[in-house]
Amino acid sequence: MTCNILLVEDSSTDAAIIMAAFKSIGYSGEIQIVRDGTEAIDFLGQAVLDNTNDLPKLILLDLNLPRKSGHEMLQDIKTNPKCQNIPVIVFSSSSRPVDIIKSYQLHANAYIVKPIILEDYKLTAQRIHDFWLKTVQLQLE
């Protein structure tokens, strides 16, 4: 089974780095990139309407997004019965305690600060893959 990832990231540079990190660890599943929270909610809504298995198995969510913030999107996901079981990892450059606390209050499954060193993205991708896509039993329905 292919584990799909929805990457919600407005920076094309960060998105490319994250994609390259997953590719470098041998991840061959589909990664769908959306550029803002509104586009992400539309993507999830369409998957629900299509009544297919197109819902992602994991969401990597940046916080600082145009149109709809990561926190607003997180609240929408976790209050939608069709999407609330999708694990959401906040993947942000912010290490501010207020952002971390608010993310967990909105039921984020994990909060990871983006690495500063480029090479550390591969290690982070490997850890996300090994835990969230290989180890954890996901219940998405």
Side-chain angles (χ1 to χ4, degrees), residues 19 21 30 39 41 45 49 54-55 58 65 67 84 86-88 91 94 112-113 121 127 137-138:
M19 295 283 288
E30 179 186 343
E39 190 178 337
I41 293 300
L49 284 176
D54 288 341
L55 283 172
L58 179 69
L65 299 167
R67 300 199 309 167
Q84 66 187 11
I86 302 170
V88 178
F91 196 56
S94 173
I112 298 173
V113 177
Y121 272 88
R127 289 177 174 162
Q137 294 296 309
L138 301 176

Side-chain angles (χ1 to χ4, degrees), residues 43-94:
F43 175 87
L44 292 170
Q46 188 61 50
V48 168
L49 284 176
D50 290 347
N51 200 20
T52 66
N53 292 330
D54 288 341
L55 283 172
K57 308 298 184 260
L58 179 69
I59 298 172
L60 294 178
L61 175 64
D62 188 23
L63 285 184
N64 300 313
L65 299 167
R67 300 199 309 167
K68 181 175 273 219
S69 75
H71 283 136
E72 291 171 321
M73 190 189 144
L74 185 57
Q75 184 169 1
D76 288 351
I77 291 168
K78 294 301 183 177
T79 57
N80 181 329
K82 299 284 187 182
C83 299
Q84 66 187 11
N85 290 336
I86 302 170
V88 178
I89 299 172
V90 174
F91 196 56
S92 175
S93 57
S94 173

Side-chain angles (χ1 to χ4, degrees), residues 31-43:
I31 299 177
Q32 176 70 42
I33 301 172
V34 293
R35 303 288 178 200
D36 63 56
T38 300
E39 190 178 337
I41 293 300
D42 290 346
F43 175 87

Side-chain angles (χ1 to χ4, degrees), residues 22 25 124-136:
F22 275 93
I25 64 164
T124 301
Q126 187 71 61
R127 289 177 174 162
I128 290 169
H129 176 266
D130 289 350
F131 183 75
W132 289 101
L133 301 175
K134 288 180 74 179
T135 303
V136 172

